[in-house]
Amino acid sequence: EDQVTQSPEALRLQEGESSSLNCSYTVSGLRGLFWYRQDPGKGPEFLFTLYSAGEEKEKERLKATLTKKESFLHITAPKPEDSATYLCARANSGGSNYKLTFGKGTLLTVNP
Amino acid sequence: DTGVSQDPRHKITKRGQNVTFRCDPISEHNRLYWYRQTLGQGPEFLTYFQNEAQLEKSRLLSDRFSAERPKGSFSTLEIQRTEQGDSAMYLCASSYGGNEKLFFGSGTQLSVL
């Protein structure tokens, strides 16, 4: 069964305190690994797609990386507006490649 | 382009009633998805349309659930004889072609009393 496990469940940071969120996934049949941001009462917002080990993508204070069995979302010098739930998801190769399997998310709180 | 639109944003209903939600995807997107999310969980896949064809339904989708996408445009998700366990956020998403980048709407929050 496809699994995506995120850690920690919740993370509190002070403004400017860099950290990383972890996403581990079942390796078999991976087509792509996705990161989304979700604000309270809103749908998830796409951040990154990673397809192969060693790939990295950046957007403002966020950088996503992928290894053979996990992905990291690095947050550099976070600001209070970065507070949100960050979701990791995988897509399978093959016939069901449109279907995303999400983790439970990491709730990030950045205090001023 | 105003993004994916869902209506209503909130729905409160009594157990046993039927409810229907609507999703208007981004206009040029041919793929449409429904997901369900409960508190503290990530979204769970429910069903998928390519144009007007419903190509997959999750085992999570019991016989009480039905979804349509007439003419490959907007979609509706109907839940018959609602149960308290149906309480959740119902999210619609759309994408274009084989691009797995999904654009989500803000969801419909269903509360079954």
Side-chain angles (χ1 to χ4, degrees), chain B residues 55-76:
Chain B
L55 297 186
E56 184 172 347
K57 288 175 61 172
S58 165
R59 289 169 296 179
L60 294 174
L61 224 58
S62 76
D63 292 344
R64 297 183 296 105
F65 288 71
S66 62
E68 294 183 341
R69 192 183 182 196
K71 301 179 182 178
S73 57
F74 71 92
S75 176
T76 58

Side-chain angles (χ1 to χ4, degrees), chain A residues 55-111:
Chain A
E55 190 175 357
E56 297 184 352
K57 291 194 176 171
E58 287 189 66
K59 179 181 178 180
E60 297 180 354
R61 295 176 292 282
L62 300 177
K63 182 169 78 172
T65 61
L66 185 66
T67 72
K68 288 186 177 179
K69 58 180 182 179
E70 56 192 348
S71 177
F72 295 93
L73 185 65
H74 307 277
I75 303 175
T76 302
K79 298 182 177 181
E81 54 261 42
D82 294 322
S83 297
T85 296
Y86 290 86
L87 295 163
C88 174
R90 60 165 286 154
N92 293 339
S93 58
S96 297
N97 59 1
Y98 48 79
K99 184 164 57 178
L100 296 185
T101 300
F102 283 86
K104 294 182 179 182
T106 294
L107 175 60
L108 175 66
T109 304
V110 182
N111 296 315

Side-chain angles (χ1 to χ4, degrees), chain B residues 4 9-10 14 19 22 27 29 31 41 43 48 52 68 75 77 91 97 101 110:
Chain B
V4 178
R9 290 294 316 277
H10 304 274
K14 293 183 178 179
V19 295
R22 177 182 171 119
S27 58
H29 285 184
R31 295 185 172 195
Q41 303 293 315
Y48 157 65
E52 67 275 8
E68 294 183 341
S75 176
L77 177 68
L91 293 162
K101 178 180 176 180
L110 173 66

Side-chain angles (χ1 to χ4, degrees), chain A residues 31 34 36 38 41-46 49 51 87 91-92 95-105, chain B residues 9 31 33 35 37 40-45 48 55-56 89 91 98-107:
Chain A
R31 175 179 171 88
F34 299 78
Y36 283 81
Q38 187 172 26
K42 299 280 184 70
E45 176 186 352
F46 173 82
T49 309
Y51 291 106
L87 295 163
N92 293 339
S96 297
N97 59 1
Y98 48 79
K99 184 164 57 178
L100 296 185
T101 300
F102 283 86
K104 294 182 179 182
Chain B
R9 290 294 316 277
R31 295 185 172 195
Y33 315 78
Y35 282 78
Q37 186 175 26
Q41 303 293 315
E44 294 178 297
F45 172 82
Y48 157 65
L55 297 186
E56 184 172 347
M89 172 79 85
L91 293 162
N99 185 349
E100 298 105 341
K101 178 180 176 180
L102 302 189
F103 292 82
F104 282 87
S106 290

Side-chain angles (χ1 to χ4, degrees), chain B:
Chain B
D1 179 5
T2 57
V4 178
S5 177
Q6 292 190 245
D7 183 69
R9 290 294 316 277
H10 304 274
K11 179 69 177 179
I12 300 174
T13 190
K14 293 183 178 179
R15 190 175 53 189
Q17 297 295 304
N18 299 343
V19 295
T20 300
F21 311 140
R22 177 182 171 119
C23 170
D24 288 273
I26 294 171
S27 58
E28 65 268 24
H29 285 184
N30 61 337
R31 295 185 172 195
L32 186 145
Y33 315 78
W34 286 96
Y35 282 78
R36 180 170 67 189
Q37 186 175 26
T38 53
L39 198 63
Q41 303 293 315
E44 294 178 297
F45 172 82
L46 292 180
T47 191
Y48 157 65
F49 289 85
Q50 184 162 317
N51 299 311
E52 67 275 8
Q54 187 175 20
L55 297 186
E56 184 172 347
K57 288 175 61 172
S58 165
R59 289 169 296 179
L60 294 174
L61 224 58
S62 76
D63 292 344
R64 297 183 296 105
F65 288 71
S66 62
E68 294 183 341
R69 192 183 182 196
K71 301 179 182 178
S73 57
F74 71 92
S75 176
T76 58
L77 177 68
E78 181 183 15
I79 309 174
Q80 296 183 327
R81 305 180 303 281
T82 53
E83 301 173 356
Q84 287 186 326
D86 297 332
S87 296
M89 172 79 85
Y90 289 84
L91 293 162
C92 177
S94 68
S95 69
Y96 178 74
N99 185 349
E100 298 105 341
K101 178 180 176 180
L102 302 189
F103 292 82
F104 282 87
S106 290
T108 294
Q109 182 65 53
L110 173 66
S111 297
V112 182
L113 305 179

Side-chain angles (χ1 to χ4, degrees), chain A residues 20-37:
Chain A
S20 295
L21 312 182
N22 177 267
C23 171
S24 61
Y25 58 91
T26 48
V27 176
S28 176
L30 180 76
R31 175 179 171 88
L33 194 290
F34 299 78
W35 284 97
Y36 283 81
R37 168 190 170 130

